[in-house]
């Protein structure tokens, strides 16, 4: 009886041990001795056999592994070098612990937007994910293909044709023909779509591919010290850039040490040509608010996020930035106070008081009604840099400086105010400000305002309900207003509803070759289209022309024909003229 019980006990213990060994799985290392590529070829692994549930897997330098079907649930996946390529939309890498210590993960180029089976993405399911500084998940240029010839659209919902940049989270750059660029698409809360392809000008100038798609589902922590890249493809000169792709991360907590998330639109590489930049993609990081708040107190994530639209030929012709969604603003914007491009869609992020702020090489769009209070200097620098908001209050305790290639701008929007305690210098870029007649909504500079190095300072008046002697925007300069050679101050009156720009400064100095340019910036005329309609349309303003006549102001507008009808009437004050010039009539719309 005792022998029988001892035997049963031994068998029971042995059974537990065997079960534990089975649960631990096999440690498999990629050797590439089979076909040298396929994950599903057991001969590529040592010991031989396709990794099974509970196994741990290692991939090292020199390996190129094609993953065409989802893996079993592994205990661990470690990568120290080489490349792992996802193929197909439904393929997943599933493991408890994933450590990317080196090498890169990518996916195959998406061939078509017709069926999900012909597109690919990187899809990772894990408990914890670690991406080292020397590792990357790189799906740049892996989205929908660009167009192959003129007149053809790039693939994807936002594909463009000819010189147009592709769209995704932001519109691609486009010229006079808006239909050359596709619409924005996808979800900013849960982005999963690849970026669309840009337009082509010829067989020798195909459109840029869009950025690919990355989906990470982590039950625990994501630690990013490396890069996740979903940029659209840059192009040469006359073709359109690809749109940025998607990065969608869900986790309990998100940590980073100089990590980078990017889904920018593709640029054009040459300074001359007709090509337009691609629109930015979409990035969303969703985490547990309570757990993330605890982590932020210990080590706040340090992350760079790039979502700018691509810039086109001559540094302009830019695409719009893509979207960034975070569960809250607990760790972003970063403590470095340097922001790249993107439309910030962060829960509860409606005010910010950084010590200083630099917007670098990207168009940053803040929510409407935003309150930005920069204690020291505000700087806009880099190609295509800019800051945009609306109905906003912006206070700068130091200087405001634009140091950038065109187009660089700060767009406040109607009913916004910008108050700069120090000086403002617009250097080699563009500064745009939209104001309103309310004295509280204005541009105020405490010291000098200098426009130099081929720059422009554009001030836009808002509507004054037809009472055009009232200012539609105000610019008050405490020191000197200096416009240098080849630089311009451009005041724009409201085109339909009155209101000019009121400007005041202690000293106004206009250098040779520069000045104030208000040409064609008064009341407007109806838009002309070809072919015209059969009806004539009047211009705008108190001296508006009608029935094909010219607008009037200090003198009568030109008549339709001799003795038949005079043009627009004279108006305004002789000694104190404040009205913009009135618009002439247009034949048809």
């Amino acid at each position: 009886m005792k022998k029988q019980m001892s035997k049963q006990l031994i068998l029971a213990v042995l059974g537990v041990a065997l079960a534990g060994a089975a649960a631990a799985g096999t440690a498999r290392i990629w050797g590439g001795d089979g076909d040298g590529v396929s994950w599903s070829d057991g001969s590529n692994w040592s010991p031989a056999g396709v990794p099974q549930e509970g196994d741990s897997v290692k991939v090292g330098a020199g390996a190129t592994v094609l993953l065409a079907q989802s893996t079993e649930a592994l205990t661990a996946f470690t990568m120290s070098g080489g490349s792992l390529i996802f193929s197909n939309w439904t393929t997943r890498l599933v493991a408890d612990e994933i450590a990317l210590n080196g090498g890169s993960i990518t996916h195959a180029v998406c061939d078509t937007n017709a069926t999900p089976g012909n597109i690919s993405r990187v899809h990772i399911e894990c408990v914890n994910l670690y991406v080292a500084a020397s590792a990357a998940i790189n799906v740049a240029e892996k989205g929908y293909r660009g167009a192959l010839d003129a007149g053809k659209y790039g693939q994807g919902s936002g594909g463009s044709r000819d010189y147009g940049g592709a769209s995704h989270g932001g519109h691609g750059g486009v010229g006079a023909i808006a239909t050359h660029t596709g619409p924005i698409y996808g979800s900013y809360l849960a982005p999963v779509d690849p970026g669309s392809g840009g337009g082509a000008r010829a067989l020798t100038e195909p459109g840029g591919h869009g950025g690919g798609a990355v989906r990470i589902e982590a039950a625990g922590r994501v630690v990013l010290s490396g890069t996740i890249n979903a940029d659209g493809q840059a192009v040469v000169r006359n073709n359109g850039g690809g749109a940025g792709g998607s990065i969608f991360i869900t986790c309990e907590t998100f940590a980073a040490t100089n990590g980078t998330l990017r889904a920018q639109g593709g640029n054009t590489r040459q300074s001359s040509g007709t090509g337009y930049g691609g629109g930015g993609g979409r990035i969303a990081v969703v985490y547990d608010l309570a757990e993330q708040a605890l982590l932020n107190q210990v080590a706040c994530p340090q992350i760079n996020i790039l979502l700018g639209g691509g810039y086109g030929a001559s540094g302009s012709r830019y695409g719009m930035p893509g979207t960034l969604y975070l569960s809250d603003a607990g760790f972003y914007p970063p403590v470095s106070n340097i922001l790249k491009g993107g439309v910030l869609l962060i829960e509860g992020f409606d005010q910010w008081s950084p010590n200083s702020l630099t917007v670098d090489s990207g168009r940053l769009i803040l929510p409407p009604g935003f309150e930005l209070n920069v204690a020291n200097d505000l700087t806009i620098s880099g190609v295509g840099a800019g800051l945009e908001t609306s109905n906003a209050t912006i206070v700068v305790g130091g200087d405001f400086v634009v140091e950038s290639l065109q187009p660089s701008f700060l767009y406040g929007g109607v009913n916004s105010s910008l108050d700069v305690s120090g000086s403002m210098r617009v250097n080699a870029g563009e500064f745009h400000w939209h104001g309103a007649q309310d004295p509280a909504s204005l541009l105020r500079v405490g010291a000098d305002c200098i426009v130099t190095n081929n720059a422009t300072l554009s001030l836009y008046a808002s509507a004054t309900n037809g009472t055009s002697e009232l200012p539609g925007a105000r610019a008050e300069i405490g020191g000197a207003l200096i416009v240098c050679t080849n630089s311009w101050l451009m005041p724009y009156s409201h085109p339909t509803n009155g209101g000019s720009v009121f400007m005041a400064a202690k000293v106004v100095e206009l250098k040779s070759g520069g000045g104030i340019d208000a040409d064609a910036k008064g009341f407007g005329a109806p838009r002309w289209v070809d072919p015209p309609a059969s009806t004539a349309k009047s211009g705008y303003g108190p001296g508006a022309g009608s029935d094909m006549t010219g607008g009037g102001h200090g003198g009568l507008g030109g008549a339709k024909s001799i003795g038949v009808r005079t043009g627009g009437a004279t108006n305004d004050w002789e000694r104190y003229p404040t009205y913009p010039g009135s618009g002439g009539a247009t034949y048809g719309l």
Side-chain angles (χ1 to χ4, degrees), residues 276-293:
Y276 285 76
R282 296 188 186 274
I283 296 175
V285 184
V286 179
Y287 40 81
D288 183 277
L289 292 175
E291 293 298 322
Q292 186 67 43

mmCIF file of all heavy atoms in Angstrom, residues 276-293:
data_model
loop_
_atom_site.group_PDB
_atom_site.id
_atom_site.type_symbol
_atom_site.label_atom_id
_atom_site.label_comp_id
_atom_site.label_asym_id
_atom_site.label_seq_id
_atom_site.Cartn_x
_atom_site.Cartn_y
_atom_site.Cartn_z
ATOM 1 N N TYR A 276 3.863 69.179 -54.711
ATOM 2 C CA TYR A 276 3.307 69.579 -53.418
ATOM 3 C C TYR A 276 3.574 68.498 -52.370
ATOM 4 O O TYR A 276 3.650 67.313 -52.680
ATOM 5 C CB TYR A 276 1.805 69.818 -53.534
ATOM 6 C CG TYR A 276 1.450 71.114 -54.226
ATOM 7 C CD1 TYR A 276 1.560 71.242 -55.604
ATOM 8 C CD2 TYR A 276 1.016 72.214 -53.498
ATOM 9 C CE1 TYR A 276 1.239 72.434 -56.252
ATOM 10 C CE2 TYR A 276 0.694 73.405 -54.124
ATOM 11 C CZ TYR A 276 0.803 73.513 -55.489
ATOM 12 O OH TYR A 276 0.485 74.700 -56.115
ATOM 13 N N GLY A 277 3.672 68.932 -51.118
ATOM 14 C CA GLY A 277 3.943 68.009 -50.032
ATOM 15 C C GLY A 277 2.718 67.207 -49.628
ATOM 16 O O GLY A 277 1.573 67.624 -49.804
ATOM 17 N N GLY A 278 2.961 66.026 -49.071
ATOM 18 C CA GLY A 278 1.882 65.172 -48.583
ATOM 19 C C GLY A 278 1.367 65.640 -47.231
ATOM 20 O O GLY A 278 2.069 66.311 -46.461
ATOM 21 N N GLY A 279 0.137 65.293 -46.912
ATOM 22 C CA GLY A 279 -0.438 65.614 -45.612
ATOM 23 C C GLY A 279 0.103 64.692 -44.526
ATOM 24 O O GLY A 279 0.550 63.578 -44.797
ATOM 25 N N GLY A 280 0.087 65.178 -43.288
ATOM 26 C CA GLY A 280 0.533 64.364 -42.168
ATOM 27 C C GLY A 280 -0.421 63.222 -41.890
ATOM 28 O O GLY A 280 -1.575 63.213 -42.346
ATOM 29 N N GLY A 281 0.053 62.227 -41.138
ATOM 30 C CA GLY A 281 -0.763 61.059 -40.813
ATOM 31 C C GLY A 281 -1.508 61.218 -39.500
ATOM 32 O O GLY A 281 -1.943 62.318 -39.147
ATOM 33 N N ARG A 282 -1.640 60.125 -38.756
ATOM 34 C CA ARG A 282 -2.369 60.155 -37.482
ATOM 35 C C ARG A 282 -1.617 59.311 -36.451
ATOM 36 O O ARG A 282 -1.172 58.200 -36.749
ATOM 37 C CB ARG A 282 -3.789 59.622 -37.641
ATOM 38 C CG ARG A 282 -4.682 60.456 -38.565
ATOM 39 C CD ARG A 282 -6.123 59.970 -38.500
ATOM 40 N NE ARG A 282 -7.005 60.619 -39.444
ATOM 41 C CZ ARG A 282 -7.639 61.786 -39.238
ATOM 42 N NH1 ARG A 282 -7.426 62.443 -38.108
ATOM 43 N NH2 ARG A 282 -8.447 62.292 -40.149
ATOM 44 N N ILE A 283 -1.523 59.858 -35.228
ATOM 45 C CA ILE A 283 -0.914 59.149 -34.103
ATOM 46 C C ILE A 283 -1.855 59.251 -32.913
ATOM 47 O O ILE A 283 -2.357 60.331 -32.607
ATOM 48 C CB ILE A 283 0.458 59.748 -33.735
ATOM 49 C CG1 ILE A 283 1.450 59.573 -34.891
ATOM 50 C CG2 ILE A 283 1.011 59.098 -32.471
ATOM 51 C CD1 ILE A 283 2.793 60.253 -34.648
ATOM 52 N N ALA A 284 -2.088 58.117 -32.231
ATOM 53 C CA ALA A 284 -2.893 58.105 -31.010
ATOM 54 C C ALA A 284 -2.228 57.186 -29.995
ATOM 55 O O ALA A 284 -1.838 56.068 -30.330
ATOM 56 C CB ALA A 284 -4.322 57.638 -31.297
ATOM 57 N N VAL A 285 -2.089 57.673 -28.761
ATOM 58 C CA VAL A 285 -1.573 56.875 -27.655
ATOM 59 C C VAL A 285 -2.609 56.927 -26.540
ATOM 60 O O VAL A 285 -2.878 58.000 -25.991
ATOM 61 C CB VAL A 285 -0.211 57.389 -27.150
ATOM 62 C CG1 VAL A 285 0.325 56.465 -26.058
ATOM 63 C CG2 VAL A 285 0.787 57.492 -28.302
ATOM 64 N N VAL A 286 -3.187 55.765 -26.223
ATOM 65 C CA VAL A 286 -4.268 55.671 -25.237
ATOM 66 C C VAL A 286 -3.777 54.844 -24.062
ATOM 67 O O VAL A 286 -3.270 53.736 -24.255
ATOM 68 C CB VAL A 286 -5.525 55.032 -25.870
ATOM 69 C CG1 VAL A 286 -6.641 54.911 -24.850
ATOM 70 C CG2 VAL A 286 -5.985 55.857 -27.073
ATOM 71 N N TYR A 287 -3.919 55.363 -22.842
ATOM 72 C CA TYR A 287 -3.369 54.700 -21.667
ATOM 73 C C TYR A 287 -4.319 54.876 -20.490
ATOM 74 O O TYR A 287 -5.300 55.639 -20.544
ATOM 75 C CB TYR A 287 -1.987 55.262 -21.325
ATOM 76 C CG TYR A 287 -1.885 56.760 -21.484
ATOM 77 C CD1 TYR A 287 -2.338 57.632 -20.497
ATOM 78 C CD2 TYR A 287 -1.354 57.313 -22.656
ATOM 79 C CE1 TYR A 287 -2.268 58.998 -20.656
ATOM 80 C CE2 TYR A 287 -1.281 58.679 -22.823
ATOM 81 C CZ TYR A 287 -1.734 59.526 -21.820
ATOM 82 O OH TYR A 287 -1.672 60.880 -21.994
ATOM 83 N N ASP A 288 -4.019 54.167 -19.390
ATOM 84 C CA ASP A 288 -4.800 54.282 -18.162
ATOM 85 C C ASP A 288 -4.415 55.583 -17.451
ATOM 86 O O ASP A 288 -3.249 55.773 -17.091
ATOM 87 C CB ASP A 288 -4.530 53.073 -17.257
ATOM 88 C CG ASP A 288 -5.367 53.101 -15.997
ATOM 89 O OD1 ASP A 288 -4.962 53.791 -15.040
ATOM 90 O OD2 ASP A 288 -6.403 52.427 -15.965
ATOM 91 N N LEU A 289 -5.357 56.467 -17.241
ATOM 92 C CA LEU A 289 -5.054 57.791 -16.712
ATOM 93 C C LEU A 289 -4.420 57.729 -15.320
ATOM 94 O O LEU A 289 -3.443 58.432 -15.036
ATOM 95 C CB LEU A 289 -6.321 58.648 -16.675
ATOM 96 C CG LEU A 289 -6.896 59.052 -18.037
ATOM 97 C CD1 LEU A 289 -8.206 59.800 -17.855
ATOM 98 C CD2 LEU A 289 -5.905 59.907 -18.802
ATOM 99 N N ALA A 290 -4.981 56.905 -14.441
ATOM 100 C CA ALA A 290 -4.477 56.835 -13.063
ATOM 101 C C ALA A 290 -3.064 56.253 -13.023
ATOM 102 O O ALA A 290 -2.175 56.789 -12.355
ATOM 103 C CB ALA A 290 -5.422 56.014 -12.201
ATOM 104 N N GLU A 291 -2.840 55.141 -13.736
ATOM 105 C CA GLU A 291 -1.524 54.512 -13.731
ATOM 106 C C GLU A 291 -0.483 55.406 -14.409
ATOM 107 O O GLU A 291 0.664 55.495 -13.957
ATOM 108 C CB GLU A 291 -1.584 53.148 -14.420
ATOM 109 C CG GLU A 291 -2.407 52.114 -13.684
ATOM 110 C CD GLU A 291 -1.837 51.803 -12.312
ATOM 111 O OE1 GLU A 291 -0.588 51.758 -12.173
ATOM 112 O OE2 GLU A 291 -2.628 51.622 -11.366
ATOM 113 N N GLN A 292 -0.879 56.071 -15.483
ATOM 114 C CA GLN A 292 0.057 56.958 -16.171
ATOM 115 C C GLN A 292 0.440 58.142 -15.287
ATOM 116 O O GLN A 292 1.597 58.582 -15.277
ATOM 117 C CB GLN A 292 -0.548 57.460 -17.480
ATOM 118 C CG GLN A 292 0.400 58.276 -18.329
ATOM 119 C CD GLN A 292 1.554 57.456 -18.885
ATOM 120 O OE1 GLN A 292 1.362 56.347 -19.350
ATOM 121 N NE2 GLN A 292 2.762 58.011 -18.857
ATOM 122 N N ALA A 293 -0.517 58.663 -14.522
ATOM 123 C CA ALA A 293 -0.231 59.783 -13.626
ATOM 124 C C ALA A 293 0.808 59.390 -12.577
ATOM 125 O O ALA A 293 1.700 60.178 -12.241
ATOM 126 C CB ALA A 293 -1.511 60.265 -12.963
#
